Amino acid sequence: MAKAAQFDSDAFTGQKPDMAPSMAHLSLCSELSGSNLALNKRSMVFDEDGFEKRFLRCSQCKQRFSNVLLPRMLPCHHSFCFSCIQQLFDQASDQKNMFHSTYRMPMNVPPTSVNICCPLCNAHLWITEEQVKKLPTDHRTVQLMDFVHHTEHYTITFCSQHGTQPLNFFCELCVKPICRTCTVMDHKESEGHDFMDLEKALAKYTPLLDTTVTEMEAESSLLEEKLNVLDSLTQNVEKMKIELLDEVKACMARMRDLLDDREKKLKCKVEEETENECRKLREKSEMLENRRRVLVEKANQLKQAKENHNVEEMFQIHQEVKLYRSGAPIRVREVDDGLMTAFSLNTREESMLASRISSFGDVTTKAEATSLRGKTSTRASIYRSTSYK
C-alpha cells in the first residue's frame, strides 16, 4: 500500500520485540491477499461497524486510528494509540515509585524500566520511557485503514417483509422497491404487477426525482422568502402596536383633562351658589338679631320705668315701641313660609355622554400596499367620531 511505505522508517530501538505475526494476523492477511484486479472482480460484504471497532479503533480509548492518531504495536502484536500506551507506562511508574522497596526487576533490563501489562492479553513487557516513544507503528492496521479508504461503500437495504432478501427490483404498479421473494409472493406479473431491475428503475426515475427535488428546493426557497417577509411584517406590526398604544394613551389623557376642567368649573359653581345663599341667610339673621335686641332693650327700659313709677318715661318708651313696630314685619320665608333654597347636580346628559364615551374611539384595519414583493399588509389606525374633535 502507498500509505504503508511512509512508516517503513519507524524502528524499535532497545530490546527487540517479537515481531512474529499472530494467527489472527496471518488469517486476515490471507483474506486480503490478491491483486487489485481480483478485488475489483468480486464484491466483499462485511459489517463495517464491527470491522472498524475490531481493527481500526484503539481497544482502550475507542478512538479511531488516523494519520494523527497512529497505532503503536506492543511485542504481543496488540496495537493501541500512543496516549493509551503512555498512560499504561505512567501507571506502572507510579506503582514502581510507591512500592520501590519491594519492586523487583530482572537483571538484564535498564534500571529505568517499568513493567507494563497489555490490557488485551495480560502479557508483561519491561520497557523504558524512551522505548515507549519508539514503539513501532502497526503497519498491518495502517494497511487496513488504506484498504477501507480506497474501497467503495455500498449500502444494502433489505426487504421489510422478507428480512434476509435485498431489495433488487422495483414494482412500477405499486411504485416501491421489492425483493426477489416479493416478485413471486405479493407482486405477481399475473396480477398486473410490472417490475424491473432496481438499477434500471433508478436510471429511469432519477430524472423525475431530480426534477421533483428541484421543484421542492425552489418552493422551499419561495417559502423561506415568504417567511422572511412575514417576519418583517410582524416586526412592523409590533412597532405599530407601540405607536397605537401611545396614541390611545394621549387621546384618553386629553379626555381626562377636559373632564378635570369641567369638574373644577362645577366645583366653583357649587362654591359660588352655596356661598351666595349662606350670605343671604346671614343677612336675614343679622336683621332679626338687631330687631330682637331693640325689642329686648325697650322692654327692659319699660320695666324699669314701671318699677320706678316714672309715668312720663313709661309712656314715652311705649310710644317709641309703638312707632318702631308700626313698620312692616320682617318676613323670613325659610321660617314663615317653610321654603328654603335647595341645590342639586344636573346630570341630564350623563347617560348620553356615558354612551358616547363607551363608543368613543375605535381601532380599525385597512389593507395597504407594501414595498415587500408588492404584497399587502394590514395596518391599524385610530378612528375618531367627527363629533369629538
Side-chain angles (χ1 to χ4, degrees):
M1 292 294 178
K3 288 189 176 180
Q6 62 180 328
F7 303 113
D8 289 341
S9 60
D10 295 345
F12 179 79
T13 60
Q15 184 181 359
K16 195 67 174 180
D18 182 12
M19 298 299 291
S22 64
M23 293 302 298
H25 183 201
L26 293 175
S27 175
L28 181 62
C29 289
S30 63
E31 292 180 5
L32 299 179
S33 62
S35 64
N36 291 335
L37 181 60
L39 289 176
N40 291 334
K41 288 182 178 180
R42 65 177 181 173
S43 297
M44 296 183 62
V45 180
F46 61 91
D47 181 5
E48 184 178 351
D49 293 335
F51 182 84
E52 177 180 312
K53 181 179 179 180
R54 182 176 179 182
F55 298 106
L56 304 183
R57 287 185 179 273
C58 175
S59 58
Q60 191 73 1
C61 64
K62 309 304 179 184
Q63 294 189 70
R64 183 181 174 123
F65 295 123
S66 64
N67 291 337
V68 178
L69 194 69
L70 289 172
R72 297 298 182 95
M73 186 170 60
L74 296 177
C76 60
H77 298 287
H78 289 132
S79 299
F80 305 92
C81 65
F82 178 78
S83 298
C84 290
I85 297 177
Q86 183 67 45
Q87 186 177 2
L88 292 175
F89 180 84
D90 293 339
Q91 292 175 354
S93 298
D94 294 339
Q95 187 177 10
K96 177 182 178 181
N97 295 332
M98 184 179 301
F99 303 99
H100 180 72
S101 60
T102 60
Y103 201 82
R104 296 182 179 181
M105 300 175 57
M107 298 296 295
N108 58 342
V109 298
T112 56
S113 300
V114 296
N115 185 15
I116 65 174
C117 180
C118 175
L120 295 180
C121 65
N122 294 325
H124 291 272
L125 169 67
W126 289 93
I127 192 170
T128 64
E129 186 173 10
E130 186 66 24
Q131 290 172 338
V132 169
K133 296 178 180 179
K134 295 182 178 180
L135 281 172
T137 301
D138 187 356
H139 297 295
R140 62 175 183 175
T141 303
V142 174
Q143 289 176 338
L144 291 177
M145 292 164 53
D146 186 74
F147 169 76
V148 172
H149 178 71
H150 290 87
T151 301
E152 293 184 355
H153 293 249
Y154 296 95
T155 300
I156 300 178
T157 306
F158 294 95
C159 180
S160 59
Q161 290 183 303
H162 313 99
T164 60
Q165 294 292 328
L167 298 175
N168 293 329
F169 302 95
F170 182 82
C171 180
E172 291 191 292
L173 178 63
C174 301
V175 194
K176 61 180 297 186
I178 58 177
C179 69
R180 183 177 299 278
T181 304
C182 290
T183 61
V184 297
M185 297 290 293
D186 305 317
H187 301 266
K188 300 177 182 179
E189 287 184 323
S190 59
E191 297 178 357
H193 293 272
D194 185 15
F195 52 86
M196 65 176 67
D197 187 77
L198 184 59
E199 292 185 359
K200 292 182 179 179
L202 289 175
K204 178 179 179 180
Y205 291 103
T206 294
L208 177 62
L209 296 177
D210 292 340
T211 302
T212 303
V213 170
T214 303
E215 293 175 353
M216 293 172 65
E217 290 177 347
E219 183 179 355
S220 177
S221 300
L222 181 60
L223 292 175
E224 182 179 4
E225 185 177 353
K226 290 183 178 180
L227 285 173
N228 293 333
V229 173
L230 290 179
D231 289 340
S232 177
L233 293 178
T234 301
Q235 295 177 3
N236 291 337
V237 172
E238 291 294 333
K239 293 179 180 179
M240 285 190 288
K241 180 184 75 173
I242 297 175
E243 295 175 357
L244 283 175
L245 290 176
D246 292 340
E247 192 171 351
V248 168
K249 183 178 180 180
C251 178
M252 294 298 106
R254 291 194 296 270
M255 296 297 102
R256 282 191 289 271
D257 290 340
L258 293 176
L259 290 175
D260 292 341
D261 184 63
R262 183 57 181 166
E263 181 183 0
K264 291 179 182 179
K265 291 182 179 179
L266 288 175
K267 287 181 178 180
C268 291
K269 186 68 175 178
V270 170
E271 294 286 345
E272 181 182 353
E273 294 295 331
T274 54
E275 181 60 30
N276 289 337
E277 185 63 21
C278 289
R279 180 178 54 77
K280 292 178 182 178
L281 294 175
R282 286 194 295 270
E283 290 177 354
K284 291 180 180 180
S285 297
E286 186 177 355
M287 290 174 60
L288 293 176
E289 179 62 24
N290 291 335
R291 186 176 181 84
R292 188 191 68 82
R293 187 172 59 252
V294 171
L295 292 176
V296 170
E297 183 180 353
K298 293 298 181 181
N300 290 334
Q301 290 178 359
L302 186 57
K303 288 179 182 180
Q304 189 65 34
K306 183 179 178 182
E307 290 176 357
N308 295 333
H309 302 284
N310 190 340
V311 178
E312 182 180 0
E313 186 176 357
M314 290 171 52
F315 283 101
Q316 183 180 355
I317 294 174
H318 180 266
Q319 288 297 323
E320 291 176 358
V321 173
K322 184 178 179 180
L323 181 62
Y324 181 74
R325 297 181 63 191
S326 63
I330 301 176
R331 291 190 57 82
V332 180
R333 67 170 187 166
E334 289 81 3
V335 179
D336 298 331
D337 301 331
L339 299 175
M340 65 172 293
T341 302
F343 302 91
S344 63
L345 178 63
N346 184 356
T347 59
R348 59 183 178 273
E349 296 182 356
E350 181 179 0
S351 59
M352 180 185 66
L353 184 60
S355 175
R356 291 193 175 187
I357 289 178
S358 63
S359 60
F360 172 76
D362 193 9
V363 178
T364 61
T365 59
K366 60 180 179 179
E368 293 183 352
T370 66
S371 58
L372 303 173
R373 294 179 55 82
K375 302 295 182 181
T376 58
S377 65
T378 301
R379 177 172 180 174
S381 59
I382 289 291
Y383 170 79
R384 294 187 177 84
S385 173
T386 55
S387 59
Y388 286 87
K389 294 184 179 179

